[in-house]
Amino acid sequence: MTFPAWPKDEPVTDPPVAVFDSGLGGLSVVGELRRLLPHETIVYFGDTARVPYGTKSPETVARFAREILAFLMRWEPKCVVAACNTVSAVALPGIVSAQAIPVIGMVRPSAEAAIEALDQLGGKMVAVIATTATVASNAYQQALGRLDRQVIAVQKACPLLVPLVEEGRDADDPLVALAVAQYLEPLIRWQPDVLLMACTHYPLIRPAIARCLGPKVTLVDSAAATARKVASVLTERNALSTAGTNGKLLCYVSDNPQRFQSLGTRFLGEPIPSVVRVRPNEFESIPYENAPKRMAAG
Ligand code: DGL
């Protein structure tokens, strides 16, 4: 089996930041990362053959996450970002401790950002919207409670929002407005100070969510919060790439690279240069020696 390697004319001289998601959504985190840390090379894996994760059981999501992590570790990354709220909520606690490098999820950074927003507002009420699996895990309520015992959190699963965004529908689409209104109505009656968008897809329909909530509720975006955490972890470890190095983005997907490339541009905010398909059943069987190696500088 030939492994889809880095393009030969694009040597990677620095340890990359590895990022993964169930599909396209994690590109919203990559977009934030590339704005904050433009010199980092990023290897992205989107599990487009098995998306969505948000309707699957924790056991299944954990198995997928382990397989992807093993695949990404072949690049000897400086850190791994689980750019999927569902993975972060249901699978990450069991995986992180086994890794020698930082594995950064979305729950803790997003909960911290929500608490920070509450502190600035002098409020205590936060509403969390997420996938069904994330809500069922209670990970956000637990993380918020650990950070501030006085915080009162409610959560609401919004399962229709991911497929609507995946279909390319944007914030001005009437179906998006309808679904958002139905999901948010009970939360608005509860009068939260902050609404935490705890799903990778929601930043793409942020204007629809903001319109429905009105000006009194502050929106917190889990993608931006996670990217800020990655920047602070790399800074603390003195592991930031410097100007002049790499800054490349290479994307792997488990299905339909063309669809990923065309729809992904909306999530990323820039064209996606290169997408390579690798099937899930190839993850385990790819010998380490055949994985793309970082090439020596120069
Ligand atoms: N990436 C997932 C999340 O942030 C949404 C898509 C899915 O259900 O797989 O929860």
Side-chain angles (χ1 to χ4, degrees):
M1 180 189 309
T2 38
F3 191 85
W6 287 94
K8 293 237 174 334
D9 54 344
E10 290 190 23
V12 175
T13 54
D14 234 24
V17 173
V19 181
F20 72 98
D21 175 45
S22 54
L24 288 159
L27 289 172
S28 59
V29 179
V30 173
E32 297 288 345
L33 273 175
R34 283 172 72 76
R35 275 185 283 283
L36 273 180
L37 305 172
H39 306 303
E40 300 300 328
T41 285
I42 295 174
V43 180
Y44 182 88
F45 183 87
D47 199 0
T48 47
R50 304 190 290 195
V51 68
Y53 285 6
T55 50
K56 295 192 170 65
S57 69
E59 297 73 35
T60 299
V61 174
R63 176 162 58 83
F64 292 169
R66 268 193 215 96
E67 288 172 6
I68 295 167
L69 207 57
F71 173 76
L72 288 171
M73 291 307 275
R74 294 161 196 268
W75 279 266
E76 298 170 12
K78 59 173 91 170
C79 72
V80 178
V81 186
C84 175
N85 280 279
T86 303
V87 166
S88 308
V90 310
L92 222 51
I95 295 175
V96 171
S97 55
Q99 306 302 325
I101 54 164
V103 179
I104 299 160
M106 300 188 78
V107 174
R108 171 90 190 197
S110 309
E112 283 171 356
I115 297 286
E116 211 177 292
L118 284 174
D119 287 348
Q120 274 167 17
L121 294 162
K124 288 289 170 206
M125 317 256 281
V126 54
V128 180
I129 55 171
T131 64
T132 305
T134 299
V135 167
S137 76
N138 278 326
Y140 271 98
Q141 282 195 319
Q142 285 162 10
L144 288 160
R146 272 195 296 272
L147 291 167
D148 183 344
R149 292 206 348 232
Q150 318 242 281
V151 161
I152 307 164
V154 290
Q155 22 171 29
K156 173 101 184 136
C158 306
L160 280 176
L161 298 187
V162 165
L164 282 170
V165 173
E166 294 260 338
E167 280 305 316
R169 292 178 186 264
D170 62 21
D172 296 324
D173 189 290
L175 277 182
V176 170
L178 188 64
V180 165
Q182 292 227 347
Y183 286 134
L184 295 192
E185 200 194 307
L187 297 178
I188 293 168
R189 278 204 302 267
W190 186 70
Q191 296 186 327
D193 303 293
V194 164
L195 182 115
L196 173 56
M197 298 188 290
C199 175
T200 48
H201 287 56
Y202 302 166
L204 274 95
I205 50 168
R206 183 183 181 129
I209 295 172
R211 264 197 302 274
C212 184
L213 286 173
K216 289 200 188 126
V217 186
T218 297
L219 268 179
V220 171
D221 170 358
S222 67
T226 304
R228 286 197 298 274
K229 173 64 96 187
V230 175
S232 79
V233 167
L234 293 182
T235 306
E236 268 165 35
R237 297 171 77 95
N238 209 11
L240 287 173
S241 292
T242 48
T245 55
N246 292 305
K248 300 181 200 312
L249 170 63
L250 188 68
C251 296
Y252 289 89
V253 295
S254 47
D255 201 7
N256 212 338
Q258 294 83 3
R259 184 172 188 273
F260 179 90
Q261 198 158 18
S262 61
L263 279 178
T265 304
R266 278 181 66 220
F267 286 80
L268 187 61
E270 61 176 291
I272 299 178
S274 146
V275 185
V276 178
R277 181 178 183 194
V278 55
R279 292 172 180 79
N281 63 1
E282 290 171 346
F283 294 168
E284 293 304 318
S285 57
I286 295 164
Y288 184 83
E289 314 80 67
N290 288 359
K293 292 277 191 305
R294 288 202 306 277
M295 298 175 201

